[in-house]
Amino acid sequence: MDRARYEKGGDAGSKGVGFQVDLLTMFLLNALQRISNWRLSTENKRARKFDDVVLEWPEGAILLQAKHKTKKKITMEELLSTNSKNDDFSLPKYFLSYQEIKNEFKVKNVVICTNASVHDRVLEFLDSRRISSESMLYCEDDDYSFYTFNMEILPRLKENVEIYLEKNYRNRNIDQTVINEENLKDFLKCLQVYVDYPSENCLEKVKGNGLVPTQRRNIFN
């Protein structure tokens, strides 16, 4: 594991911090078993809006944003929000952030992970995928899944990205030229959305799956 330093930022409430720590630990335990020469960071400013968990290794990087919510269903209005005060799940925001970071990292996937569920109206734009053992959020013996967005959302996403950029990115080094079909499709193919993610249950199972104690001591010594 590479112990290089990085610039740290970020702010979250206590429940959000707990959820973030759970996901960070999931990444740690899965990375120990599946990859080598990796570096794990949290609230890494280089990752912009995907800064909560950043895993880098020679083959690529996975960047994750964690969102802990109480009794919530994510709506289409939230997913397409152009309002910076209500953009926790705003795809336009995450698209623009992805444009800023994709040359900073060798990105394999960007991830939004939440304990919230999605409104039924959202499901027509989503394709369900089973979590494989290669995922850093894999929980052994459980049939959890994640979602990717299908291309049906593309026209609405493009329109709202243009609005979000105009309203919120005026003083940033990014312009309308990034909002094209190639970049939008690339973002949607790279994005994974984990909803109803049972972090505490998964964490207990992964912790009990036979991880060698000396491996853990080497990480923290």
Side-chain angles (χ1 to χ4, degrees):
M1 182 183 72
D2 188 338
R3 294 175 182 263
R5 295 183 180 275
Y6 64 96
E7 190 174 1
K8 189 174 181 295
D11 183 28
S14 59
K15 289 185 178 180
V17 168
F19 186 61
Q20 184 175 327
V21 169
D22 284 352
L23 299 180
L24 187 68
T25 306
M26 288 289 295
F27 267 62
L28 169 64
L29 298 179
N30 276 307
L32 281 169
Q33 298 175 82
R34 293 180 172 85
I35 58 176
S36 58
N37 300 319
W38 49 269
R39 178 169 58 194
L40 188 63
S41 58
T42 183
E43 296 176 2
N44 186 332
K45 285 189 174 182
R46 288 176 57 228
R48 303 283 184 171
K49 300 301 182 182
F50 294 98
D51 65 342
D52 285 341
V53 181
V54 177
L55 178 67
E56 301 173 77
W57 73 105
E59 286 73 29
I62 300 172
L63 300 87
L64 178 146
Q65 178 63 210
K67 291 296 179 186
H68 185 278
K69 299 293 178 181
T70 303
K71 297 181 180 178
K72 183 175 180 63
K73 285 194 174 184
I74 305 164
T75 65
M76 280 302 300
E77 288 74 20
E78 289 173 299
L79 288 171
L80 294 172
S81 174
T82 61
N83 183 353
S84 62
K85 294 181 180 180
N86 184 34
D87 66 358
D88 280 354
F89 296 102
S90 170
L91 295 180
K93 176 185 74 172
Y94 289 117
F95 168 81
L96 292 169
S97 184
Y98 177 66
Q99 301 313 305
E100 294 181 298
I101 65 174
K102 65 182 183 180
N103 293 323
E104 288 275 334
F105 299 90
K106 186 179 177 182
V107 179
K108 292 179 73 71
N109 289 110
V110 287
V111 179
I112 301 170
C113 185
T114 180
N115 65 316
S117 56
V118 291
H119 195 279
D120 290 346
R121 286 181 54 209
V122 176
L123 293 175
E124 66 180 284
F125 299 100
L126 297 174
D127 294 325
S128 179
R129 315 284 187 188
R130 185 172 180 178
I131 301 177
S132 76
S133 59
E134 299 302 311
S135 171
M136 292 301 116
L137 290 173
Y138 175 69
C139 185
E140 191 170 5
D141 296 329
D142 278 310
D143 191 24
Y144 297 128
S145 60
F146 66 91
Y147 291 102
T148 57
F149 280 90
N150 59 50
M151 296 303 159
E152 296 298 317
I153 201 171
L154 199 60
R156 296 176 67 181
L157 177 59
K158 182 177 186 297
E159 178 181 352
N160 285 43
V161 169
E162 291 170 350
I163 297 170
Y164 195 100
L165 177 63
E166 177 63 24
K167 288 172 62 175
N168 304 298
Y169 270 66
R170 291 181 180 178
N171 299 319
R172 301 279 283 276
N173 187 28
I174 188 168
D175 59 40
Q176 291 274 351
T177 60
V178 303
I179 309 172
N180 57 62
E181 187 170 310
E182 181 181 358
N183 282 341
L184 289 162
K185 287 182 176 180
D186 174 53
F187 168 67
L188 292 176
K189 289 177 181 177
C190 193
L191 177 65
Q192 297 180 345
V193 181
Y194 288 72
V195 300
D196 295 311
Y197 190 77
S199 62
E200 293 181 1
N201 292 342
C202 275
L203 186 57
E204 288 305 311
K205 290 186 178 183
V206 174
K207 284 165 65 178
N209 70 355
L211 185 67
V212 180
T214 55
Q215 288 181 296
R216 296 185 69 178
R217 287 201 297 270
N218 289 340
I219 290 296
F220 298 109
N221 288 345

